[in-house]
C-alpha cells in the first residue's frame, strides 16, 4: 500500500539531493529530522494556544485556526521526511502504523454483558492514581459483549489491564533480517 506523504517525501529528497537510503537502519537517525519535528510541534502549540485560551476576535481565531492546520501539515511532512531519511519504505511505514493502530484499539475493554466494568475502573484508577470514567460504546457492543472505554477526566483514553502494546520491534527486526539476505 502506497503512502502519498511518503511518496512526496521521496520527491522532495530527490529534488533537493538529500540522501535516500532505501534500507532501514538505526544509524540513520539524525538530529536534523528530530529538530524539525520538535520545531513543527512547537509551531502547532503556539498556533493553538490563542484558540484554546479563547483569546482575540474571530479574525484572530480564524488566522490561528489556519496556522494550526499549516502546522499539522508541516508535522506530517517532517515526519514523512524522517521516515524516508531513516530508510523506512512506504510499506514498512504502513505496517508500523497498522501495528500501532491495533495496539490503540486494544484500549477498549470488551467484556460479557453480565460482567461489571468496575474492577477495570478500579485497577486503572489505582495504576494512574486518578479518577477514571467508564463509557459504554453502544455502537460496538452486541448481544453478548459490552465495549467500554476508560478515560481520565480530561477525556484521554487510558490503557486498561487488557491493553496490548505495539510490537514494532519484531517488525523492524524482520525488516533488518530480510535486508541482510
Amino acid at each position: 500500500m502506497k503512502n502519498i506523504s511518503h511518496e512526496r517525501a521521496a520527491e522532495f529528497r530527490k529534488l533537493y539531493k538529500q540522501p535516500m537510503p532505501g534500507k532501514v537502519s538505526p544509524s540513520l537517525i539524525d538530529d536534523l529530522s528530530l529538530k524539525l519535528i520538535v520545531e513543527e510541534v512547537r509551531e502547532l502549540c503556539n498556533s493553538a494556544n490563542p484558540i484554546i485560551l479563547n483569546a482575540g476576535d474571530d479574525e484572530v481565531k480564524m488566522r490561528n485556526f489556519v496556522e494550526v492546520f499549516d502546522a499539522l501539515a508541516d508535522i506530517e511532512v517532517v515526519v514523512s521526511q524522517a521516515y524516508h531519511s531513516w530508510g523506512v519504505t512506504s510499506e514498512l511505514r504502513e505496517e508500523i502504523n497498522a501495528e500501532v493502530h491495533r495496539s490503540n484499539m486494544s484500549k477498549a475493554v470488551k467484556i460479557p454483558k453480565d460482567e461489571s466494568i468496575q474492577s477495570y475502573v478500579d485497577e486503572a484508577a489505582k495504576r494512574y492514581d486518578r479518577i477514571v470514567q467508564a463509557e459504554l460504546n453502544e455502537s460496538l457492543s452486541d448481544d453478548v459483549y459490552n465495549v467500554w472505554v476508560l478515560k481520565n477526566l480530561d477525556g484521554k483514553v487510558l490503557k486498561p489491564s487488557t491493553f496490548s502494546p505495539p510490537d514494532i520491534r519484531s517488525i523492524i527486526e524482520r525488516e533488518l533480517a530480510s535486508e541482510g539476505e
Side-chain angles (χ1 to χ4, degrees):
M1 171 184 235
K2 291 290 181 187
N3 180 301
I4 192 69
S5 297
H6 199 80
E7 290 176 5
R8 288 177 180 151
E11 179 183 26
F12 179 93
R13 299 188 76 71
K14 186 175 180 181
L15 176 64
Y16 295 105
K17 297 183 179 177
Q18 295 183 337
M20 296 178 54
K23 288 183 3 179
V24 66
S25 171
S27 66
L28 295 172
I29 294 179
D30 61 311
D31 284 346
L32 177 59
S33 294
L34 297 174
K35 286 177 186 175
L36 290 172
I37 292 169
V38 168
E39 179 183 315
E40 296 302 340
V41 169
R42 275 196 198 109
E43 285 185 22
L44 172 64
C45 293
N46 291 337
S47 300
N49 276 338
I51 297 170
I52 293 167
L53 300 173
N54 204 18
D57 59 21
D58 287 345
E59 179 53 37
V60 169
K61 290 178 191 169
M62 179 53 85
R63 186 174 60 246
N64 285 86
F65 194 56
V66 170
E67 289 175 12
V68 163
F69 284 101
D70 177 57
L72 286 171
D74 285 343
I75 290 168
E76 185 172 359
V77 167
V78 296
V79 167
S80 293
Q81 289 290 329
Y83 272 120
H84 213 285
S85 69
W86 299 340
V88 176
T89 63
S90 180
E91 294 77 15
L92 180 59
R93 179 178 176 177
E94 288 303 318
E95 188 175 356
I96 290 167
N97 288 345
E99 176 59 13
V100 170
H101 177 69
R102 183 212 52 80
S103 173
N104 284 335
M105 296 304 283
S106 77
K107 292 177 185 177
V109 179
K110 184 176 181 178
I111 59 174
K113 283 204 180 268
D114 61 352
E115 187 177 326
S116 171
I117 190 65
Q118 195 58 50
S119 64
Y120 295 93
V121 171
D122 294 344
E123 183 274 330
K126 185 176 179 181
R127 184 162 20 107
Y128 287 101
D129 193 29
R130 63 183 59 176
I131 297 172
V132 174
Q133 307 173 89
E135 293 181 7
L136 177 63
N137 185 325
E138 293 181 29
S139 67
L140 295 178
S141 296
D142 57 29
D143 292 340
V144 179
Y145 293 98
N146 279 329
V147 177
W148 294 87
V149 177
L150 304 179
K151 296 180 179 180
N152 68 16
L153 294 179
D154 293 333
K156 179 182 181 344
V157 175
L158 302 174
K159 298 171 186 169
S161 56
T162 56
F163 171 73
S164 170
D167 184 14
I168 296 170
R169 181 184 197 98
S170 66
I171 295 170
I172 298 296
E173 286 176 346
R174 188 186 69 242
E175 182 71 15
L176 290 170
S178 71
E179 288 176 355
E181 295 173 356

